[in-house]
């Protein structure tokens, strides 16, 4: 390696899988120093973004309470299934935590231990930092990078508990209906710049957001779906909210089920009670209403892991076990396939060209009671790089 020109060595190392790059740091001190160079980290991260998305799995089982895995997809042309190449990750010293989101190789974890509440963690360098405690109520979280200040920020939309937040079915915060004027006045926005020790209160906000399974960060802006079916963005640089144009299907009886990022584009997943297919609309040009196109339609499917539940249930209709609100769209693969998650347990790859489904085999230590999956671009970055 010492005899190679620096630009050649840089190009070679930048194309290594991250796990190989981490192992290469142990070769010698010179390699370790070179691999920690910011130019190499940026170049390696760029190549990782161009590849198929990897992901972090948090598995909750009867014997497993907190375990993280790093997953990459691997397919065999002679096999109908897709395998996950999974590596068990070292977890930070937390008694109990929840995987919230990922940004530039860093994870935001929400701890349930009373000693502290949130932390930033890089599962490959094992660096982590505890964030200052919040004096406000917990709420909807977002984690992102401000390209203007080169700082990471955590945003939280919190809700003060009032009697107006409850009604005859369920808690309003899950989007069952728009919030009343009294409830809306209890919505506050707080933000923390990671280099700071203080949460800042940005004031009240007139909308309530629906909790999302995955973070939606596009063009330096976090995105949420409001209970009124609006799409709202939060600019991490200006720290201002703005309404984003919605797809044309909003004029019909369809509604947005969730927002997701597909290959860098803001996308909306929708369905209605009368349509068996789940639709995915993609905004090809950000913030341009006319650029929304319906790119995918997904029919009913029951993964093998859930078929036993289907057989023992009184209903023989597989649509009951593949209800659209139980399907999470995770990412778009380079092959054009979609990675889906069903009922927080089963992973499936959907081929939109052949309209076929492939179950993803994950080497679980036990059948998971609950599975949290976050798309993750692995990196050796840290909050000060």
């Amino acid at each position: 390696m010492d005899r190679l020109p620096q630009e050649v060595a840089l190009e070679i190392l930048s194309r290594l899988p991250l796990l190989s790059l981490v192992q290469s740091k142990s070769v010698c001190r010179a390699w370790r120093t070179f691999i920690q160079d910011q130019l190499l980290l940026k170049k390696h991260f760029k190549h990782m973004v161009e590849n198929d998305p990897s992901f972090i799995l948090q598995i909750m089982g009867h014997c497993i309470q907190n375990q993280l895995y790093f997953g990459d997809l691997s397919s065999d042309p002679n096999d109908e299934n897709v395998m996950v190449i999974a590596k068990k990750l070292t977890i930070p010293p937390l008694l109990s935590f929840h995987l919230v989101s990922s940004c530039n190789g860093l994870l935001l974890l929400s701890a349930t231990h009373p000693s502290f509440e949130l932390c930033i963690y890089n599962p490959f360098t094992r660096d982590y930092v505890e964030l200052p405690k919040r004096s406000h109520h917990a709420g909807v979280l977002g984690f992102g990078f401000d390209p203007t200040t080169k700082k990471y920020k955590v945003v939280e939309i919190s809700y003060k508990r009032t009697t107006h937040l409850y009604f005859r079915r369920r808690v309003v915060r899950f989007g069952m209906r728009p919030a009343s004027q009294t409830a809306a006045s209890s919505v506050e926005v707080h933000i923390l710049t990671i280099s700071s020790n203080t949460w800042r209160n940005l004031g009240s906000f007139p909308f309530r957001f629906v909790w999302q399974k995955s973070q939606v960060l596009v063009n330096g802006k976090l995105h949420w779906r409001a209970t009124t079916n609006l799409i709202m963005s939060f600019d991490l640089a200006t720290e201002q909210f703005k309404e984003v144009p919605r797809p044309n299907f909003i004029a019909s009886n369809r509604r947005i089920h969730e927002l997701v990022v597909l290959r860098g584009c803001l996308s909306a997943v929708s369905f209605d009670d009368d349509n068996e297919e789940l639709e995915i609309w993609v905004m090809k040009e950000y913030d341009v209403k006319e650029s929304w196109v319906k790119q995918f339609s997904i029919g009913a499917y029951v993964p093998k892991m859930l078929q036993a539940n289907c057989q023992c249930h009184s209903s023989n209709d597989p649509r009951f076990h593949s209800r659209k609100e139980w399907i999470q769209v995770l990412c778009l693969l380079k092959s054009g396939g979609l990675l889906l998650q069903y009922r927080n347990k089963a992973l499936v790859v959907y081929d939109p060209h052949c309209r076929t489904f492939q179950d993803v085999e994950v080497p679980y230590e036990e059948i998971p009671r609950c599975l949290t999956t976050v798309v993750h671009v692995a990196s050796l970055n840290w909050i000060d790089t």
Side-chain angles (χ1 to χ4, degrees):
M1 183 69 73
D2 295 338
R3 298 180 180 180
L4 291 175
Q6 183 175 0
E7 60 272 15
V8 176
L10 185 67
E11 187 64 28
I12 293 173
L13 291 175
S14 69
R15 296 182 180 276
L16 288 178
L18 185 70
L19 295 178
S20 300
L21 195 64
V22 171
Q23 293 171 350
S24 300
K25 292 173 62 178
S26 303
V27 173
C28 63
R29 183 175 298 176
W31 277 40
R32 182 181 183 86
T33 301
F34 187 67
I35 290 173
Q36 291 176 332
D37 183 83
Q38 291 304 304
L39 184 60
L40 174 59
L41 294 183
K42 291 179 180 179
K43 197 174 184 64
H44 184 271
F45 185 79
K46 180 181 178 181
H47 287 312
M48 292 291 290
V49 171
E50 294 170 350
N51 294 336
D52 263 337
S54 52
F55 43 90
I56 299 291
L57 301 169
Q58 181 180 14
I59 296 176
M60 302 290 286
H62 297 287
C63 300
I64 304 173
Q65 293 304 314
N66 292 290
Q67 185 57 61
L68 297 177
Y69 288 85
F70 174 71
D72 268 323
L73 294 180
S74 174
S75 60
D76 184 346
N78 299 318
D79 193 348
E80 64 177 5
N81 292 330
V82 179
M83 288 289 296
V84 167
I85 302 174
K87 172 182 171 54
K88 191 174 183 179
L89 298 173
T90 301
I91 61 175
L94 307 176
L95 294 179
S96 182
F97 63 87
H98 171 64
L99 176 60
V100 179
S101 59
S102 167
C103 178
N104 293 350
L106 306 180
L107 301 176
L108 175 63
L109 305 178
S110 175
T112 58
H113 194 268
S115 61
F116 66 96
E117 299 165 331
L118 296 172
C119 81
I120 306 297
Y121 179 57
N122 187 321
F124 293 97
T125 65
R126 302 180 186 178
D127 293 322
Y128 85 101
V129 60
E130 302 173 10
L131 301 185
K133 281 191 173 184
R134 299 163 289 184
S135 59
H136 53 273
H137 293 288
V140 179
L141 286 163
F143 172 50
F145 181 72
D146 179 0
T148 59
T149 62
K150 310 298 183 184
K151 299 290 185 180
Y152 289 90
K153 295 180 178 180
V154 177
V155 181
E156 185 161 33
I157 294 90
S158 61
Y159 310 110
K160 294 181 180 178
R161 298 173 183 174
T162 68
T163 56
H164 299 282
L165 299 185
Y166 298 87
F167 67 110
R168 62 182 179 277
R169 290 178 64 187
R170 288 186 184 274
V171 182
V172 174
R173 66 186 177 95
F174 290 103
M176 301 301 293
R177 68 164 190 180
S180 65
Q181 291 183 353
T182 305
S185 64
S186 66
V187 180
E188 290 184 343
V189 182
H190 297 81
I191 189 167
L192 173 74
T193 303
I194 301 302
S195 59
S196 170
N197 292 322
T198 306
W199 287 86
R200 291 180 285 120
N201 189 338
L202 300 183
S204 59
F205 187 65
F207 297 100
R208 296 184 63 81
F209 290 151
V210 179
W211 175 81
Q212 297 178 156
K213 293 183 179 180
S214 60
Q215 175 168 287
V216 183
L217 179 62
V218 181
N219 280 20
K221 301 176 180 66
L222 293 164
H223 297 77
W224 289 278
R225 175 170 63 93
T227 53
T228 52
N229 219 24
L230 296 175
I231 300 176
M232 301 298 299
S233 70
F234 179 82
D235 192 317
L236 289 168
T238 64
E239 299 184 356
Q240 297 291 323
F241 283 97
K242 179 185 176 183
E243 182 180 349
V244 179
R246 299 172 294 173
N248 287 328
F249 69 73
I250 296 298
S252 66
N253 63 339
R254 302 188 69 85
R255 60 186 182 275
I256 299 175
H257 167 51
E258 67 171 335
L259 300 175
V260 65
V261 183
L262 297 181
R263 288 289 168 182
C265 294
L266 178 64
S267 305
V269 182
S270 73
F271 64 89
D272 59 33
D273 297 333
D274 300 326
N275 195 326
E276 297 181 6
E277 290 195 326
L278 182 143
E279 295 180 353
I280 302 178
W281 291 67
V282 178
M283 181 180 266
K284 297 293 187 177
E285 185 177 352
Y286 184 75
D287 210 24
V288 178
K289 182 177 179 61
E290 293 74 19
S291 69
W292 281 106
V293 294
K294 184 175 74 170
Q295 191 160 340
F296 304 100
S297 295
I298 304 174
Y301 178 72
V302 180
K304 295 177 182 178
M305 181 183 291
L306 303 179
Q307 286 180 6
N309 293 337
C310 181
Q311 293 172 359
C312 67
H313 196 273
S314 59
S315 172
N316 294 321
D317 188 350
R319 289 175 297 179
F320 179 85
H321 301 274
S322 59
R323 290 173 54 184
K324 302 303 178 287
E325 58 264 36
W326 291 343
I327 302 174
Q328 180 186 359
V329 179
L330 294 173
C331 61
L332 178 62
L333 306 177
K334 291 178 68 176
S335 64
L338 288 163
L339 181 62
L340 311 174
Q341 181 169 286
Y342 285 72
R343 298 194 69 176
N344 295 332
K345 286 188 177 182
L347 296 176
V348 173
V349 172
Y350 173 69
D351 185 337
H353 304 293
C354 302
R355 298 184 68 83
T356 56
F357 298 83
Q358 287 184 294
D359 290 74
V360 177
E361 295 184 1
V362 183
Y364 299 120
E365 293 182 9
E366 64 170 279
I367 300 299
R369 177 167 46 88
C370 181
L371 181 67
T372 300
T373 308
V374 171
V375 176
H376 181 76
V377 181
S379 171
L380 300 182
N381 286 332
W382 187 230
I383 55 177
D384 56 357
T385 56

